[in-house]
Structure formats: C-alpha cells, structure tokens
Amino acid sequence: FPWIWFSSALGEGTTSLTANSGLIRRAVFPAELLPMVPVLANLVHLLLALPVVALGLLVARLSGHAVGGWGAGATLGVMAFELPLVGGLALGLAALHAHFKDVRDLLTSVLTLLFFLTPVLYPLEAVPHPTLALVVKLSPATPFTLAYQDALFFGRLPALSLWLQMAAWAVAGFAFGAVLFRRLRDTL
C-alpha cells in the first residue's frame, strides 16, 4: 500500500498542472495546490487501507506469526516523514511536465525501475552483489520501505539510522521540488 501511494501520487501529481491549466490562469489561484491534491488524496487512500493491513496483521498474529505489535504504531510516523518527499517531488515533476510533456512517460519508467531497486518484494540482505546492494540502499524509497517493514512485519520501531535517512530524503525531495517549482512558476 505505501508503494501505491508513492507511485500514484507522483504519477497524478505530475500531470496535475497540465490537467488543470484553466485554474492556473486565474491570478488568485495558487498553482502549488494542484500537485498537492493527488498527494493528499492518495494519502487518504493509504490511511483508509490501514484497517485492512491491521486486520491482516491480527489474523497473522493469531495464526502464530510474530508480526505487528506495538511497533506498528510507527507506521503513521513513517508516513509523516514520507509526505514531504512525495509532495516535493510532485511539485517539481508537475512544473517540469508543464514544460516537457515526456516527463510523465519518463516517470513511469523510472518508477518501474525504482520499484525493483527498492526492497519491496525481497529483503535487503538478499541482494548478493555489493555494488547492487549499495544502489538499492541509495534508493530514496528504501529507508521508507525498510521502516514500514520494521514497523509492520517485525513489530519494532525503525532504527534511528532509518529515521535520519528518511528525514534526509524528505528534506532533499521537498527542497528539490519547491526550488524547481519556484524557478519555473512564472512560465507555467
């Protein structure tokens, strides 16, 4: 579910300015809001999926698997750290897409590659080659994915190093998107 939020919010946020170009032409409408709408709407979808996740964890726990637990409460914190990353990237990508229509298609390819370079379907330890393991560790989605896994599957709070990595990616992603949007805003 968190990956769906990440990819859907970026995909929809990227096209938000061109899809609503009539609103941008109005002087009183802040264009920055348009990329944020799909980010927040998809976050609501993720939040609505949490009871399904909780039910799955409960069933697994009652079946004897050591999942969930008190660490699952950190999930909301991980989402709070991921929100500036997703929002910032959506801002920047939307501004780029207003100028270069191929951004959406490139994003689709990049998200597919990023999905396989993020330990969503495999444990990080399963990456055998050291160089590839480093590439996977440097993926912006990796610390968030590992934090979700710690909280939901292992029932523990994510390590401080993961929180610091998430904070760094959140700040970098938001700063990148905000600066890019501000720079391109007058030509939208």
Side-chain angles (χ1 to χ4, degrees):
F1 291 123
W3 181 263
I4 293 170
W5 170 43
F6 182 77
S7 61
S8 297
L10 289 181
E12 293 171 24
T14 297
T15 60
S16 62
L17 294 178
T18 55
N20 298 292
S21 59
L23 291 174
I24 295 174
R25 291 188 187 104
R26 296 182 186 176
V28 295
F29 188 82
E32 294 86 356
L33 292 179
L34 290 173
M36 291 298 146
V37 169
V39 170
L40 296 174
N42 282 291
L43 176 60
V44 169
H45 293 167
L46 175 59
L47 292 171
L48 291 173
L50 286 182
V52 175
V53 172
L55 182 63
L57 290 174
L58 178 64
V59 168
R61 188 95 171 175
L62 294 174
S63 299
H65 300 283
V67 296
W70 293 108
T75 303
L76 295 176
V78 176
M79 287 179 202
F81 272 65
E82 193 170 6
L83 181 59
L85 171 68
V86 177
L89 291 177
L91 273 173
L93 289 169
L96 281 175
H97 185 260
H99 290 86
F100 309 105
K101 301 301 178 213
D102 291 338
V103 170
R104 183 192 62 182
D105 299 325
L106 289 171
L107 176 66
T108 302
S109 298
V110 168
L111 285 173
T112 301
L113 178 63
L114 192 61
F115 177 77
F116 290 107
L117 288 176
T118 303
V120 175
L121 300 176
Y122 55 88
L124 186 57
E125 298 78 28
V127 181
H129 196 276
T131 305
L132 184 57
L134 179 63
V135 170
V136 170
K137 287 178 184 176
L138 292 176
S139 165
T142 294
F144 297 96
T145 301
L146 294 176
Y148 284 121
Q149 289 172 355
D150 277 351
L152 297 172
F153 300 144
F154 303 116
R156 62 182 180 231
L157 290 176
L160 178 61
S161 61
L162 281 180
W163 290 105
L164 294 174
Q165 290 173 48
M166 289 186 294
W169 277 113
V171 168
F174 189 80
F176 167 78
V179 167
L180 187 58
F181 191 91
R182 187 176 306 121
R183 188 173 176 116
L184 297 174
R185 189 183 197 311
D186 293 336
T187 58
L188 294 177

